[in-house]
Amino acid sequence: MKIQPIGAALCLLLTACFTSEASNDTTSKTINKERNVMTKSEEIKPHFTPKQFLLKMLEMMTVSNSTADFTRERMEKVFGVQLKPTKDGGLIFSEKVSKKWTQEFEKYKVPMSESYSFSLAFHPTEDTPEIVERGELCEMTYEEFIGRAVMAGFIATPIYHAGTTVITNVHFKKNDLNINVGFSREYKRTKERPNPRLCIDLITIR
């Protein structure tokens, strides 16, 4: 007779354990599901890699003879995306290419003028307050971009820092199209890493 209460207690204890394990398992699955949802929502899926973005710009440069050819219709056709209007009458396409970098193409009004210019640029994101290494932007190097532009019929002229032999950017010209291409090093040159690649950071078209 004394065994029954012990058996009952053991039964209750086992039931409680199984219930607790089931509850913990359910809670664990719920947490994992929420984490998966958060991970998916944080995934960055740009329309272009940096190299694809630069190739689109090269295509736009190739089919144009002046800034007059940079119409909204042609730009949207070449880039394959919609451009958003800006307050000054310009247009812009901007997207995160990674957690560290944003890439954008913009038509903007020149200050103190009624004319417009165009630019393609890579910027650190708001989540990256400091300049970071640019390795992910160097899939197409500065040298490769120059070579492709020259093959497309552009005349390339290096621009030097005043009084030095240090190249700051390269000017491209074809018909009435004038383009400046600037660059930054992939990372700060050090003794351990003496040969950083040159990465495009800004293209301006006037």
Side-chain angles (χ1 to χ4, degrees), residues 143-204:
E143 293 86 351
E144 181 182 351
F145 186 91
I146 292 174
R148 286 176 178 268
V150 170
M151 288 180 63
F154 284 87
I155 297 173
T157 305
I159 307 299
Y160 297 92
H161 186 72
T164 73
T165 57
V166 178
I167 298 175
T168 57
N169 57 74
V170 173
H171 176 263
F172 294 93
K173 183 172 178 60
K174 186 184 73 171
N175 299 323
D176 293 325
L177 202 57
N178 291 282
I179 300 171
N180 281 325
V181 181
F183 64 89
S184 294
R185 288 187 176 87
E186 180 182 6
Y187 51 77
K188 187 176 181 179
R189 181 186 288 131
T190 63
K191 184 178 180 180
E192 293 73 22
R193 297 194 298 175
N195 300 309
R197 294 176 295 176
L198 300 181
C199 316
I200 293 174
D201 56 12
L202 177 64
I203 299 173
T204 54

Side-chain angles (χ1 to χ4, degrees), residues 55-193:
L55 285 172
K56 288 295 184 183
M57 174 56 83
L58 278 168
E59 183 180 347
M60 190 69 208
M61 290 164 53
T62 301
V63 299
S64 303
N65 293 309
S66 71
T67 54
D69 295 323
F70 278 66
T71 62
R72 179 172 186 172
E73 293 73 23
R74 177 173 287 185
M75 290 187 293
E76 290 185 339
K77 181 178 180 180
V78 170
F79 280 87
V81 295
Q82 287 191 330
L83 303 175
K84 295 182 179 180
T86 60
K87 292 181 179 179
D88 65 356
L91 297 165
I92 190 170
F93 168 78
S94 179
E95 67 174 358
K96 275 188 176 183
V97 68
S98 70
K99 291 183 179 180
K100 296 179 180 179
W101 293 100
T102 294
Q103 56 190 10
E104 68 177 31
F105 175 66
E106 182 178 16
K107 172 187 176 182
Y108 61 94
K109 192 171 184 180
V110 178
M112 308 296 292
S113 170
E114 293 301 315
S115 63
Y116 286 86
S117 291
F118 302 83
S119 69
L120 181 149
F122 298 98
H123 304 293
T125 64
E126 295 177 357
D127 301 327
T128 310
E130 298 180 2
I131 298 298
V132 296
E133 293 191 0
R134 299 173 177 267
E136 62 187 289
L137 305 180
C138 264
E139 189 181 0
M140 178 186 286
T141 62
Y142 193 66
E143 293 86 351
E144 181 182 351
F145 186 91
I146 292 174
R148 286 176 178 268
V150 170
M151 288 180 63
F154 284 87
I155 297 173
T157 305
I159 307 299
Y160 297 92
H161 186 72
T164 73
T165 57
V166 178
I167 298 175
T168 57
N169 57 74
V170 173
H171 176 263
F172 294 93
K173 183 172 178 60
K174 186 184 73 171
N175 299 323
D176 293 325
L177 202 57
N178 291 282
I179 300 171
N180 281 325
V181 181
F183 64 89
S184 294
R185 288 187 176 87
E186 180 182 6
Y187 51 77
K188 187 176 181 179
R189 181 186 288 131
T190 63
K191 184 178 180 180
E192 293 73 22
R193 297 194 298 175

